[in-house]
Amino acid sequence: MLGIKAILVRSFCLAGLILSGVGTPSFAAAPLARAGPPADTTITPVDNYEQWKAALDTGKGVVAPTFTLTPGFELETLRSAGPDEGSWIALTFDPKGRLIVAREKRGLLRFTLSPPAIPPEVIDDTLEEVRGLLHTPDGLLANANISRGLFQLRDTTGNDRFDSITPLVKTRAGGHGRNSLALGPDGLAAMIHGDSVELPPGFRKLTPPTVPGLLPGDDLPHGHLMRADAGGQWTVVASGMRNPVGLDFNADGEAFTYDADAETDMGTPWYRPTHVRHLVSGADFGWRRVTGRWPPYYPDQPDNPPVTIAIGKGSPTGVKFGTRSHFPPAYQRALFILDWSYGRIVAVHLTPQGASYTARAETFLRGRPLNVTSLDFGPDGAMYFVTGGRNTQSALYRVRYVGPPVAEPKPTAEDAARVVAAKEARALRRHLGTFHGRQDPRAMAAAWPLLDNADPWIAHAARVAIEHQPAAEWSARALEESAASRALPALMALTRVGPNDALPAVLQRLVRLGNDALSVAEWRMLILSAGYATQRLGPLDRAVKEQLMVRIDSLLPHASNEINREACRLLFQLAAPAAVSRAVTLLVAARDQEEKLHYLQLLGRARNGWTEENRLRFFRVLAQTPSFRGGAGLPQFVKAIETEALASLPESERPRFVAMLAAGRSRAAPAVAAVTPRPLVREWTLADFAAAPNDRGRPPDLARGREIYSAALCALCHQLGEEGRSVGPDLTDVASRFNRHDLLESILEPSRVISETYRQVTVTTKTGGSITGRVAQTDFRLPVLRLASDPLAPEDAIEVPKEDIVSYVESAVSPMPAGLLNRFTRDEISDLLAYVEAGGDLQRRIPAR
């Protein structure tokens, strides 16, 4: 067996792990490769999702990881897994300071780190895929995913061996399953599960007791936090997560996790990046295993608590607060989260604010490969972490602080007051949480006045407390509440847990409240509540339905994109006659891919309310979707919209729109007539049009505008009407988004503002070459970066292996060339602009400007 072998690596001088031959891996120094400042947590398209695969086959070739570490810290590579020791996925320290490590397939190992080191001991060989380990006074707890349950291991004979294994909680299903364990501030255990774990009936739940089937996906399991009481009974405290692997409590006794994204959903309206969650009582964070129902802004007060901080792409594994570390004070308060896919440890710095925290993140440590799975802090105050998972080579590392002493800065009077206020706010939120999951006659008096509290975490806790009380005791009060700020969350609660016979009165009250001056958050509450009530009731009273449709329709278009999206969704739910026209207008005005897909999905399902013009506008945008970027599921999502939309057409009309969609997928350059070279007229600038940007009173000549459009070769990159292609932005409805000054600016100064969708990047490879192009891939998990280096031939993408890329820089130069108008006169430019503003329709009447 390989003993403990340490290679000290100070600050940015880091060890390289060489996995070679067929025997036990050894360690040797490797040159450092820095990818950027440690504080940068951004994941770019060039970051390799598959970096972990470099640690898969240790018997072939050489793998040399490089690390970037925060200055002042040192990294020690302590041990690599031997051939028969498996891949490591969880760790904890026992009361004697020994390290217990869980093997991915089966069993537990125990390491003694202090001299004299002894070979690792196998202390269990029965439990499969233990993802959570926790020592308690009653023994070792192990949350085993494949063994499907929580188990207690005890030494009943006093010989330092676990001879008793007792199942404490048995659960069903697997996959995103049984994950980490942590000890709460009350000394009782907590465990966290992913969205594949089906709980058996009978568990007490503090989460909102919504009506079954209120929304799609409610009947499916979703990730949750469970806490044990002194009697060993378990309670679901929070839910609505995807796959939160790690769990820990901070010094204030507050629980946090790092939840996973659904990477295949990238680019869709409901995609949520990986994010840190504050796991408060009664929280339902809204994740459901359904397509397109829960957009990222849903987890906000009052429906759900907010996200603490979004991290971005990644694969979350373990988390741990630095409370027990010998790190500087800021890092003792930090939550360290592990990202398995991109090989990094991120430090999340939390600052108390109200009943929760604000957060900022920095990359603490990064390496390639560094498939981090679990971490803990040892008796020596150092950080210990392991790599492994998916049968990869594992190793054990230690991080210590070796920089100069760092004193805790003296708080200002403002900081001290904020800390006191936050402590009081958390205490109030926790007090409201005592009414979750049980009926209590004191709950209404405590919670009702706080429904409109300015702190969203307190307002959420108050609403959940009310939802757990019998609706008969407070439904009349909800309907009679005069203050809109309290009435709206109370009515939302009633639509979620109240009886069906109360819902018509709820809708009538919502219509009346819609006449008040409401904030964006209140409008969102009103719309969501009306949607919940409509979902439960089915056909509505005609008068109430008409009043609701008129009020919601009058909101559009709204300055808030969230209100636009949800108002349109409700109009379709109500089968409003104006739903299609409203959605099409918002679709063509949408500036980002997610907005477009939201309206495309709503419209693709619509069967009534279409005009020929709106049908054309819908399919023009749908034809642009081949240029959209996202996860592996995006093409299937778009295909589903296409299938539904085409099925809604009369059979005689389908060939025309099938051809339009096929043209969008082909990306082939349209035929362009030969252009006669034109002499230089003037090097036009925006200032030349400042005094008279319009047509100086003459009627526009759209026919000549079309000639200029052709002469400038605009159709090579832009769709206008039914001509051209969507290499660049669609210009058909550009007049609905830009005035003439803005349109001129985008042509004369194309690099002033470049949409992220069309921005080019420059990558440099290990060979010293560089390539500039637009990122063309749809699946970020690919091991290659696909670049369209020729703007006029986006279908001819170059594939660059990500492992060969040494730098990645976004270009400040637009792919649209400058000087396109320099060979045209002022009047010709005006006619060109008028033709574009007409959407390529020569029959459209454009007034003189």
Side-chain angles (χ1 to χ4, degrees):
M1 291 289 186
L2 181 67
I4 299 298
K5 183 176 182 180
I7 301 177
L8 296 182
V9 188
R10 295 187 178 267
S11 297
F12 285 116
C13 300
L14 304 169
L17 171 59
I18 299 179
L19 309 178
S20 58
V22 296
T24 301
S26 61
F27 293 80
L32 171 69
R34 287 193 58 188
D40 185 9
T41 61
T42 302
I43 295 295
T44 70
V46 78
D47 285 299
N48 191 359
Y49 177 86
E50 296 188 343
Q51 61 86 28
W52 61 272
K53 288 188 175 181
L56 263 178
D57 192 346
T58 62
K60 296 180 181 179
V62 175
V63 177
T66 55
F67 296 86
T68 305
L69 180 64
T70 298
F73 291 86
E74 70 175 12
L75 176 70
E76 296 174 86
T77 308
L78 296 180
R79 194 182 198 286
S80 64
D84 59 346
E85 292 175 2
S87 194
W88 301 339
I89 59 173
L91 81 162
T92 191
F93 281 90
D94 72 6
K96 296 182 179 181
R98 296 171 298 187
L99 195 65
I100 296 178
V101 173
R103 297 189 290 198
E104 182 177 32
K105 290 186 177 180
R106 185 192 299 270
L108 305 175
L109 302 176
R110 185 164 63 192
F111 296 93
T112 300
L113 301 180
S114 57
I118 61 175
E121 310 166 80
V122 177
I123 57 174
D124 172 77
D125 197 30
T126 62
L127 297 177
E128 297 181 271
E129 197 182 313
V130 173
R131 295 184 180 180
L133 291 167
L134 176 66
H135 260 282
T136 71
D138 296 325
L140 176 67
L141 296 181
N143 210 15
N145 192 45
I146 301 301
S147 295
R148 298 190 177 185
L150 176 69
F151 298 84
Q152 183 183 61
L153 289 77
R154 292 186 300 158
D155 172 13
T156 63
T157 62
N159 67 350
D160 204 22
R161 312 297 297 178
F162 292 118
D163 54 78
S164 170
I165 301 179
T166 305
L168 300 181
V169 179
K170 295 294 287 184
T171 49
R172 295 175 289 182
H176 293 168
R178 298 143 196 87
N179 296 325
S180 289
L181 301 167
L183 204 62
D186 51 9
L188 299 173
M191 61 181 171
I192 201 160
H193 292 158
D195 66 358
S196 296
V197 175
E198 299 178 16
L199 293 173
F203 279 101
R204 178 171 174 247
K205 295 183 179 181
L206 308 187
T207 51
T210 54
V211 172
L214 178 62
L215 290 173
D218 277 356
D219 58 334
L220 298 173
H222 35 273
H224 53 270
L225 166 70
M226 301 184 73
R227 295 286 311 275
D229 64 19
Q233 298 300 308
W234 289 84
T235 297
V236 177
V237 176
S239 64
M241 294 171 280
R242 183 173 185 262
N243 189 27
V245 176
L247 171 66
D248 200 19
F249 293 83
N250 69 1
D252 298 325
E254 301 286 337
F256 285 83
T257 191
Y258 178 31
D259 197 11
D261 62 348
E263 58 268 16
T264 58
D265 286 348
M266 285 188 62
T268 67
W270 59 89
Y271 171 71
R272 300 180 184 186
T274 67
H275 45 271
V276 172
R277 292 284 190 190
H278 183 186
L279 302 175
V280 296
S281 172
D284 179 347
F285 296 108
W287 166 257
R288 297 294 187 272
R289 290 160 57 189
V290 293
T291 298
R293 187 59 192 90
W294 295 92
Y297 51 81
Y298 267 33
D300 281 338
Q301 182 274 340
D303 213 20
N304 300 292
V307 170
T308 300
I309 186 172
I311 300 298
K313 292 179 285 189
S315 295
T317 48
V319 308
K320 190 69 66 174
F321 277 97
T323 311
R324 295 184 289 109
S325 74
H326 291 172
F327 290 180
Y331 291 96
Q332 291 177 14
R333 293 187 294 270
L335 176 67
F336 293 91
I337 62 176
L338 306 187
D339 177 2
W340 185 84
S341 287
Y342 292 103
R344 58 181 180 160
I345 300 177
V346 175
V348 178
H349 300 277
L350 300 168
T351 300
Q353 179 171 298
S356 186
Y357 302 79
T358 60
R360 67 175 182 87
E362 65 165 322
T363 300
F364 178 75
L365 170 65
R366 189 166 187 170
R368 296 182 183 178
L370 192 67
N371 40 320
V372 284
T373 53
S374 187
L375 81 162
D376 200 357
F377 288 89
D380 59 353
M383 173 193 287
Y384 292 79
F385 67 90
V386 291
T387 59
R390 296 194 188 178
N391 297 317
T392 56
Q393 172 64 45
S394 288
L396 170 66
Y397 300 88
R398 176 166 60 194
V399 177
R400 295 188 292 186
Y401 181 70
V402 295
V406 177
E408 180 75 79
K410 184 178 180 181
T412 65
E414 181 180 353
D415 289 338
R418 175 180 50 76
V419 169
V420 171
K423 184 177 181 179
E424 293 173 350
R426 291 195 301 272
L428 178 56
R429 191 203 75 229
R430 290 170 178 170
H431 174 65
L432 291 168
T434 63
F435 302 114
H436 297 171
R438 67 187 183 91
Q439 297 178 7
D440 190 312
R442 299 169 296 175
M444 297 303 298
W448 198 274
L450 299 173
L451 282 173
D452 59 351
N453 193 274
D455 188 324
W457 299 85
I458 291 175
H460 168 266
R463 195 208 75 229
V464 175
I466 289 171
E467 288 180 339
H468 280 282
Q469 310 311 309
E473 297 181 4
W474 54 270
S475 58
R477 185 175 181 179
L479 292 167
E480 295 166 3
E481 173 62 61
S482 58
S485 58
R486 286 193 296 274
L488 284 166
L491 292 170
M492 173 177 277
L494 201 53
T495 64
R496 290 156 58 94
V497 303
N500 274 26
D501 57 16
L503 299 182
V506 170
L507 286 171
Q508 292 175 350
R509 181 73 178 109
L510 290 173
V511 170
R512 293 196 300 274
L513 285 169
N515 296 320
D516 296 347
L518 302 179
S519 67
V520 169
E522 288 170 337
W523 269 120
R524 186 172 62 204
M525 224 182 305
L526 188 153
I527 294 169
L528 290 179
S529 299
Y532 292 157
T534 303
Q535 175 76 16
R536 291 180 57 187
L537 281 175
L540 301 181
D541 175 81
R542 182 175 179 180
V544 172
K545 179 179 177 179
E546 289 286 343
Q547 292 172 349
L548 186 58
M549 287 191 300
V550 169
R551 192 64 195 93
I552 298 302
D553 184 70
S554 68
L555 287 174
L556 301 173
H558 197 275
S560 165
N561 287 334
E562 295 176 13
I563 298 301
N564 286 332
R565 291 193 196 185
E566 294 311 309
C568 263
R569 191 197 302 275
L570 181 55
L571 288 178
F572 277 100
Q573 190 175 340
L574 295 169
V580 167
S581 62
R582 289 297 190 185
V584 169
T585 299
L586 291 166
L587 170 66
V588 299
R591 298 197 180 192
D592 64 58
Q593 171 181 315
E594 289 76 15
E595 276 187 75
K596 291 178 181 179
L597 285 169
H598 173 82
Y599 296 114
L600 286 172
Q601 184 185 44
L602 289 177
L603 289 162
R605 297 168 176 170
R607 295 296 180 265
N608 302 307
W610 289 97
T611 64
E612 182 180 359
E613 181 181 3
N614 280 338
R615 188 78 77 180
L616 276 170
R617 297 166 89 190
F618 166 79
F619 273 99
R620 285 192 196 111
V621 179
L622 188 57
Q624 300 170 19
T625 54
S627 65
F628 288 3
R629 293 183 294 176
L634 184 60
Q636 289 85 351
F637 170 54
V638 170
K639 184 63 178 177
I641 296 176
E642 289 184 6
T643 301
E644 286 188 302
L646 291 171
S648 70
L649 293 171
E651 191 169 342
S652 60
E653 295 184 27
R654 289 178 193 167
R656 175 188 182 187
F657 294 106
V658 168
M660 184 183 294
L661 295 176
R665 282 191 295 268
S666 74
R667 315 280 283 165
V672 178
V675 177
T676 303
R678 298 170 62 100
L680 176 69
V681 174
R682 180 187 180 115
E683 292 186 358
W684 295 104
T685 67
L686 196 59
D688 294 326
F689 295 88
N694 301 320
D695 297 307
R696 296 176 290 179
R698 69 175 183 84
D701 186 340
L702 296 184
R704 184 166 67 167
R706 181 176 184 177
E707 294 175 5
I708 304 305
Y709 186 85
S710 177
L713 302 179
C714 300
L716 288 177
C717 294
H718 297 281
Q719 180 95 15
L720 186 63
E722 295 191 47
E723 298 181 358
R725 60 177 181 163
S726 299
V727 174
D730 189 328
L731 302 180
T732 306
D733 294 283
V734 72
S736 67
R737 304 192 299 273
F738 299 100
N739 59 32
R740 179 161 288 195
H741 176 275
D742 294 335
L743 185 56
L744 260 174
E745 180 182 82
S746 65
I747 300 173
L748 294 172
E749 302 178 16
S751 296
R752 173 175 285 197
V753 178
I754 308 173
S755 168
E756 183 179 354
T757 304
Y758 303 104
R759 187 180 295 274
Q760 296 194 119
V761 300
T762 299
V763 298
T764 304
T765 64
K766 293 177 180 178
T767 60
S770 65
I771 304 169
T772 297
R774 177 180 165 192
V775 177
Q777 69 203 71
T778 57
D779 187 354
F780 77 99
R781 295 177 298 177
L782 293 174
V784 296
L785 182 69
R786 299 183 68 246
L787 288 176
S789 59
D790 184 354
L792 298 182
E795 65 280 0
D796 297 332
I798 299 172
E799 294 189 349
V800 186
K802 290 181 179 179
E803 63 182 5
D804 292 342
I805 297 174
V806 295
S807 71
Y808 169 95
V809 180
E810 289 190 343
S811 174
V813 179
S814 171
M816 178 174 170
L820 286 175
L821 302 183
N822 291 346
R823 300 185 183 276
F824 304 104
T825 67
R826 180 187 291 272
D827 286 346
E828 288 173 329
I829 293 171
S830 294
D831 291 336
L832 167 66
L833 296 176
Y835 176 67
V836 172
E837 290 167 336
D841 184 357
L842 295 178
Q843 305 304 315
R844 184 176 296 183
R845 298 190 62 177
I846 304 294
R849 294 174 180 265

